[in-house]
Amino acid sequence: MMDLSTLTIREIFAQLTIIEDALQGRTEQRPSASRRRLLEQQQDRLCQELRSRVPEDLRSTEPPRKSPPVPPVPA
């Protein structure tokens, strides 16, 4: 089994496209029933991995920091 955590998001989408093409019959060979089940399982694993990832644009953004309370100024 492939370690999906090593794939980039772009590579996951590429794998999903290949699987979807095979499942939809857009390849030269139609998958057998057992191959179809394996493709569907791999598709599910890829989707789960994709959902577990933080989008790259959010990864670089730091969460907003709370500023420390301002002490009162003595009168």
Side-chain angles (χ1 to χ4, degrees):
M1 244 184 228
M2 182 187 323
D3 181 13
L4 300 180
S5 65
T6 62
L7 295 176
T8 65
I9 290 176
R10 187 179 304 255
E11 290 168 329
I12 292 173
F13 274 113
Q15 290 292 316
L16 284 170
T17 301
I18 292 168
I19 291 171
E20 188 63 23
D21 286 347
L23 291 173
Q24 295 298 321
R26 294 187 291 255
T27 58
E28 294 178 16
Q29 297 179 353
R30 304 266 309 158
S32 65
S34 61
R35 176 78 177 139
R36 185 174 191 77
R37 281 191 298 278
L38 287 174
L39 287 169
E40 289 170 345
Q41 289 173 352
Q42 180 67 3
Q43 185 179 40
D44 289 343
R45 288 181 59 230
L46 287 165
C47 287
Q48 286 175 351
E49 178 65 26
L50 192 58
R51 283 191 293 269
S52 72
R53 302 275 183 103
V54 175
E56 290 178 14
D57 58 342
L58 294 179
R59 191 175 303 155
S60 63
T61 306
E62 292 184 25
R65 294 182 184 177
K66 290 186 176 181
S67 56
V70 178
V73 178

